[in-house]
Amino acid sequence: MCSGVFTRNQTLQTSYKCESKGQSEYSVSAGLALKPHHNTQCKDTSHAGGDPLKASFSHICIDISTVKMSKDPEVDLKDVELNELEQEKQPMTDGEAGNELATSPTGTEKNGCVKVKIPEETDTKFTGLSKEELLKVAGTPGWVRTRWALLILFWLGWIGMLTGAIIIIVQAPSCKPLPTLNWWNMGLLYQIGDVKAFTDIGNLKGVEEKIDHLSQLKVKGLVLGPIHVADMDKPITLEFEEISSDAGTLDQFNNLIRTAHKKGISVVLDLTPNYLGRQAWFTNGTVTSVAERLKVALVFWLNQGVDGVKLSGIDRVAQLVPSLWTDIRAIVQNSTHEKKRVLIGVTDKKNSVEVSNLLNSTGVDLLLSGVLQPSKDSAMSCAHAVQQLYSSQTQTQLAWNVGGRVEGHLASLVGPDLIQLYQMLLFTLPGTPVFNYGDEIGLEDQDTKFPKMLWDSQEMGVDTNESIKAERKQRLTLSSFFKTLSDLRSKERSLIHGDYLLLHSDTTSLAYLRYWDQSERYLAAFNWGPDMVMLQLAHAELPGQATVRLSTDPAKHETGRDMDLKALELGPGQAILFNFPFSF
């Protein structure tokens, strides 16, 4: 006789126990997922002529109304499951006559597994409301109130964001309007006073081949010459429109201009009449005739595409023949050319007040002078000259130079130990920096003010000795320093046209701040003296610390290092450029 005992885990566990007189108890367990559908009589088919020990079931039907859950978990877990392999070995036998469900449909023996057919559950998907249902609900009072509430919240949020944006815009500091700038205010002017000395070829073609070098230095304007024909102190030989055979040809000049313009470099031509003689305009008796001839020459060269003119000795011309000087200015400065032309004047005056007055009287765009020439109290005189000119002139009219055609090169004037200090000074003062060819590598005058330019390729050989290697390394270091400063000067607003604020000055040291609106600030500090100095820099515009951007002594003042401005140490001949961000 078989009785069914059922336990439930995730699926309903059934255990059939079959007992026979004098035999041991055997059980069969099966896991069934059950769903009640109707009452069914269950019977054991194992007694139909078979051995109870070889129990097998051809079909199992379960009356759900008689299911009992086992209260003993041990029974559920220890019920012996019928080995599937043993099931297949058992013969399927005919059941009792009264047990129709246990009879094989064919009446033959077949091996098989216990099977329970369970109807599959079908998931019902939510498809939402139909259009008709939505229309029916849409007009109800509840939905109308909800829509109005959401609409009001949307507009309140939108108005709130708009109000917040307006408040931010009103309270934020407005941007300071940019000043009107010309191309010569944007960066470095590079003077080549002697074409033959600048290149190996020794003519204008050679200069054209070096335009890439000038572009790498971020040169904005090339000041070339003089290259016209004029024997020393002989006005009768003056030919403004003719290029000296030593310099090259007109075709070479035109090619040079085209190549320079492609690189964004403007070309200024020095037309100083008696550039080889003692007086720039010959004698006082010849100034009028030379000025008349210059007016014609200006038209010629401007038509060739030059972007400006440089003239030395302008104080004499403006004083002796003011009407002719007015005409000369008008030809250059009032040109209808789409690109404005620059008129650069040169004076040997060193007094900043006199230089300021000359700027006013001559009306030149830039004036090169001797106000920064080295002296015993260079720091104090430099601070005084800069402050005087900055306060009396617009920054776009200021130009800074040390040396020139007559004075010579920077390295020869300041000494090799102060080359980088003066490079930093010229690039960070408010105005246009002007350098001679070779100042970027520390080229020194020898027996002439026009020494041969040194190019690295000239000395890169197998037999290069240690002395030449050291000199070349020094030139490369100076050139890298120069390029970094020139790059900053050409892109940082605080250095291009920013305000100037003097922070400290004495006989040997100087510090000032360059700043513009909300742009990055730059602080430059210098020590000309032979001893270490301690600067205590404090101002409302200054933070407690600033970051080293560039130093003449990178081993001591590493780039990126923050330093205390209230206890700033500068060694002999040292200069540091700091930067720090704008803060409200």
Side-chain angles (χ1 to χ4, degrees):
M1 182 65 179
C2 293
S3 63
V5 180
F6 302 84
T7 61
R8 182 184 302 272
N9 188 0
Q10 291 182 346
T11 59
L12 191 61
Q13 301 293 323
T14 71
S15 177
Y16 289 89
K17 297 181 180 180
C18 299
E19 298 179 355
S20 179
K21 187 175 182 179
Q23 301 291 335
S24 301
E25 178 180 301
Y26 293 86
S27 65
V28 179
S29 296
L32 307 174
L34 303 178
K35 288 186 67 177
H37 47 91
H38 54 77
N39 294 335
T40 304
Q41 178 68 36
C42 296
K43 293 184 179 180
D44 183 4
T45 62
S46 64
H47 293 79
D51 187 346
L53 297 177
K54 300 179 179 179
S56 177
F57 300 94
S58 63
H59 194 71
I60 295 176
C61 297
I62 299 171
D63 185 352
I64 196 64
S65 64
T66 64
V67 172
K68 296 181 179 179
M69 303 301 294
S70 173
K71 296 181 179 180
D72 188 357
E74 294 296 328
V75 175
D76 300 337
L77 298 173
K78 295 179 180 179
D79 283 343
V80 180
E81 294 182 0
L82 182 63
N83 187 285
E84 293 181 357
L85 185 59
E86 291 297 324
Q87 289 180 14
E88 293 178 356
K89 294 179 180 179
Q90 300 297 328
M92 301 294 291
T93 58
D94 293 337
E96 296 178 355
N99 190 357
E100 297 175 358
L101 293 173
T103 305
S104 174
T106 61
T108 62
E109 292 183 351
K110 289 186 176 180
N111 293 332
C113 297
V114 177
K115 298 181 180 179
V116 176
K117 185 175 182 181
I118 301 173
E120 295 181 357
E121 293 185 10
T122 57
D123 295 334
T124 303
K125 295 182 178 180
F126 178 72
T127 58
L129 299 176
S130 65
K131 181 179 179 180
E132 292 76 11
E133 291 173 326
L134 287 172
L135 291 175
K136 185 184 296 183
V137 175
T140 61
W143 275 108
V144 171
R145 288 192 296 271
T146 301
R147 289 200 305 273
W148 273 107
L150 292 174
L151 182 62
I152 292 172
L153 287 175
F154 167 79
W155 282 108
L156 287 176
W158 189 88
I159 293 173
M161 290 188 293
L162 178 61
T163 303
I166 293 174
I167 293 174
I168 292 173
I169 293 173
V170 171
Q171 292 184 345
S174 59
C175 293
K176 192 175 180 180
L178 295 175
T180 301
L181 300 175
N182 294 297
W183 63 261
W184 55 86
N185 303 127
M186 301 307 295
L188 158 70
L189 299 186
Y190 191 88
Q191 299 184 112
I192 302 178
D194 191 325
V195 173
K196 292 188 298 181
F198 185 66
T199 67
D200 294 333
I201 299 177
N203 56 25
L204 294 170
K205 176 63 177 177
V207 177
E208 180 188 354
E209 293 176 353
K210 298 299 182 180
I211 289 297
D212 284 339
H213 170 75
L214 303 184
S215 179
Q216 292 172 5
L217 295 179
K218 306 298 181 183
V219 170
K220 299 303 178 182
L222 169 61
V223 183
L224 188 66
I227 57 173
H228 59 266
V229 174
D231 291 344
M232 182 177 62
D233 298 330
K234 295 180 178 179
I236 195 173
T237 63
L238 177 64
E239 296 290 344
F240 278 119
E241 296 92 341
E242 183 179 343
I243 296 177
S244 170
S245 58
D246 293 336
T249 65
L250 183 60
D251 287 340
Q252 291 177 351
F253 181 79
N254 290 330
N255 290 335
L256 169 60
I257 288 181
R258 284 192 291 268
T259 302
H261 286 174
K262 289 179 181 179
K263 292 291 184 178
I265 299 175
S266 301
V267 179
V268 176
L269 185 60
D270 191 338
L271 287 176
T272 300
N274 189 27
Y275 60 94
L276 297 176
R278 292 184 296 271
Q279 298 292 333
W281 292 76
F282 299 102
T283 63
N284 289 342
T286 62
V287 170
T288 301
S289 61
V290 171
E292 289 286 1
R293 296 172 64 180
L294 177 62
K295 290 168 54 178
V296 178
L298 288 174
V299 175
F300 172 81
W301 287 113
L302 291 175
N303 288 337
Q304 299 300 317
V306 298
D307 303 294
V309 174
K310 174 187 171 186
L311 294 170
S312 298
I314 59 171
D315 42 352
R316 287 185 61 203
V317 183
Q319 181 181 2
L320 294 175
V321 286
S323 60
L324 289 177
W325 175 248
T326 301
D327 293 342
I328 291 172
R329 283 183 52 204
I331 293 172
V332 178
Q333 296 175 327
N334 298 340
S335 172
T336 58
H337 194 271
E338 59 181 10
K339 182 179 179 181
K340 192 172 181 181
R341 271 72 178 265
V342 64
L343 179 58
I344 302 176
V346 182
T347 181
D348 57 2
K349 296 182 182 299
K350 298 180 180 180
N351 182 281
S352 58
V353 175
E354 293 178 349
V355 171
S356 180
N357 291 336
L358 190 59
L359 263 170
N360 294 332
S361 62
T362 59
V364 293
D365 296 302
L366 296 175
L367 180 60
L368 304 183
S369 66
V371 294
L372 293 184
Q373 294 299 320
S375 62
K376 293 181 179 180
D377 58 345
S378 292
M380 186 70 75
S381 61
C382 175
H384 176 76
V386 173
Q387 194 66 42
Q388 167 66 33
L389 290 170
Y390 180 76
S391 60
S392 61
Q393 302 292 330
T394 60
Q395 185 179 156
T396 55
Q397 288 181 286
L398 302 180
W400 307 105
N401 64 291
V402 176
R405 283 184 53 86
V406 177
E407 297 81 10
H409 282 74
L410 175 66
S412 297
L413 294 172
V414 305
D417 294 335
L418 295 179
I419 294 174
Q420 290 182 321
L421 183 148
Y422 272 93
Q423 287 179 346
M424 184 179 293
L425 177 70
L426 296 179
F427 273 117
T428 58
L429 285 174
T432 301
V434 182
F435 288 90
N436 282 337
Y437 76 93
D439 282 348
E440 70 271 24
I441 60 171
L443 185 65
E444 296 186 34
D445 299 328
Q446 302 298 328
D447 54 351
T448 174
K449 298 297 176 66
F450 303 104
K452 192 70 174 179
M453 180 64 176
L454 299 176
W455 303 98
D456 292 336
S457 59
Q458 292 179 334
E459 298 176 5
M460 294 178 63
V462 178
D463 298 330
T464 301
N465 59 43
E466 293 301 321
S467 176
I468 294 179
K469 284 183 179 180
E471 292 176 358
R472 180 175 178 271
K473 182 179 179 181
Q474 175 66 8
R475 289 198 301 273
L476 292 176
T477 299
L478 290 173
S479 179
S480 177
F481 188 86
F482 187 95
K483 289 178 181 179
T484 301
L485 285 169
S486 186
D487 183 62
L488 289 172
R489 174 58 178 78
S490 66
K491 69 181 182 182
E492 293 293 338
R493 286 183 175 179
S494 292
L495 296 178
I496 296 173
H497 53 73
D499 296 327
Y500 168 86
L501 176 63
L502 180 64
L503 299 172
H504 167 84
S505 68
D506 57 26
T507 56
T508 61
S509 59
L510 171 68
Y512 53 82
L513 177 66
R514 299 295 311 283
Y515 63 100
W516 176 260
D517 198 25
Q518 303 175 37
S519 300
E520 191 84 356
R521 272 84 165 115
Y522 285 86
L523 186 156
F526 308 86
N527 178 20
W528 274 267
D531 302 317
M532 188 273 291
V533 296
M534 173 75 74
L535 303 184
Q536 297 177 342
L537 304 179
H539 193 275
E541 294 288 343
L542 296 181
Q545 291 186 328
T547 304
V548 176
R549 182 61 184 85
L550 194 64
S551 171
T552 59
D553 188 0
K556 185 175 182 180
H557 310 117
E558 304 91 347
T559 299
R561 172 189 172 189
D562 290 337
M563 295 186 65
D564 187 359
L565 297 181
K566 294 182 180 179
L568 179 60
E569 291 186 0
L570 287 177
Q574 288 185 350
I576 307 176
L577 181 64
F578 296 94
N579 68 311
F580 58 91
F582 163 80
S583 61
F584 291 99

